């Protein structure tokens, strides 16, 4: 096997087992009760949030990406999923505050349960991976910046989608029906 792939896989093997079943279940409970779902994140975390948004659309959710021109205002009953390795990214924390002011709920996807984002959250999906900050207690990584966090978030949020799909009885054929057809 390719040595770089093996390195990445081995690093993920140190992080993924530490993402708890209860954290995934808590995220699913929040999403299951949502009128609409909003996702927020900056930079690479934003890309992970957008990928998650697309997967939720395929599962039949009404989803919006914070900051996009077509995103409506938060309302009561909405859920914001904020993705931030540090949990202190200003735009993501600000979006969580707006969701709370609108009586929405917040799910934090972060490495830090003591962060501003986690403090504003109703549920925390803790992803104990390394970020660009290399804070004390983060997993060791040879990868630059937040690559390990990004990869682990992608897998954790895919686990959330897999559980949501199973609970709703959505299989590949049903998800394919919601897939964009621009070809």
């Amino acid at each position: 096997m390719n040595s770089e792939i093996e390195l990445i896989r081995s690093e993920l093997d140190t992080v993924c087992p530490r993402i708890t079943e209860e954290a995934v279940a808590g995220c699913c409970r929040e999403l299951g009760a949502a009128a609409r779902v909003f996702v927020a994140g900056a930079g690479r975390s934003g890309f992970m949030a957008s990928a998650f948004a697309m997967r939720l659309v395929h599962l039949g959710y009404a989803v919006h990406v914070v900051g996009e021109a077509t995103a409506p205002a938060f309302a009561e009953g909405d859920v914001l999923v904020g993705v931030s390795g540090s949990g202190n990214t200003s735009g993501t924390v600000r979006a969580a505050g707006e969701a709370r002011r609108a009586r929405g709920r917040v799910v934090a996807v972060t490495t830090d349960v003591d962060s501003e984002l986690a403090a504003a959250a109703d549920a925390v999906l803790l992803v104990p991976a390394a970020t660009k900050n290399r804070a004390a207690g983060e997993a060791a990584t040879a990868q630059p910046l937040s690559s390990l966090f990004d990869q682990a978030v992608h897998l954790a949020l895919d686990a959330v989608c897999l559980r949501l799909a199973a609970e709703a009885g959505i299989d590949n054929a049903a998800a394919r029906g919601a897939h964009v057809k621009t070809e």
Side-chain angles (χ1 to χ4, degrees):
M1 177 173 278
N2 178 301
S3 61
E4 288 80 13
I5 297 286
E6 183 58 29
L7 172 69
I8 292 166
R9 189 204 55 75
S10 70
E11 288 185 357
L12 284 167
D13 282 347
T14 68
V15 172
C16 290
R18 296 173 51 209
I19 300 170
T20 69
E21 180 82 15
E22 180 50 40
V24 170
C27 185
C28 290
R29 278 191 299 275
E30 293 294 336
L31 294 170
R36 299 177 300 179
V37 177
F38 290 77
V39 300
R44 291 155 44 135
S45 292
F47 289 128
M48 295 302 102
S50 291
F52 180 56
M54 180 180 277
R55 284 165 172 72
L56 290 177
V57 166
H58 296 155
L59 299 179
Y61 284 78
V63 185
H64 303 282
V65 177
V66 172
E68 293 293 321
T70 58
F74 291 108
E76 188 171 356
D78 292 340
V79 172
L80 172 80
V81 178
V83 181
S84 169
S86 69
N88 295 313
T89 305
S90 61
T92 307
V93 171
R94 199 167 37 256
E98 289 300 316
R100 300 298 290 184
R101 279 186 282 289
R103 297 190 204 144
R105 297 190 54 89
V106 176
V107 174
V109 182
T110 185
T111 65
D112 188 355
V113 295
D114 296 320
S115 65
E116 294 176 69
L117 182 60
D122 299 287
V124 176
L125 180 54
L126 179 66
V127 180
T131 66
K132 65 180 179 241
N133 299 326
R134 297 301 195 267
E138 288 185 357
T141 183
Q143 299 179 70
L145 301 171
S146 64
S147 291
L148 183 58
F149 176 71
D150 303 333
Q151 294 153 358
V153 164
H154 187 85
L155 292 173
L157 293 176
D158 270 358
V160 167
C161 289
L162 189 60
R163 179 180 291 228
L164 291 171
E167 289 172 354
I170 297 171
D171 61 9
N172 188 63
R176 188 172 169 90
H179 193 277
V180 67
K181 295 161 183 71
T182 57
E183 300 167 1

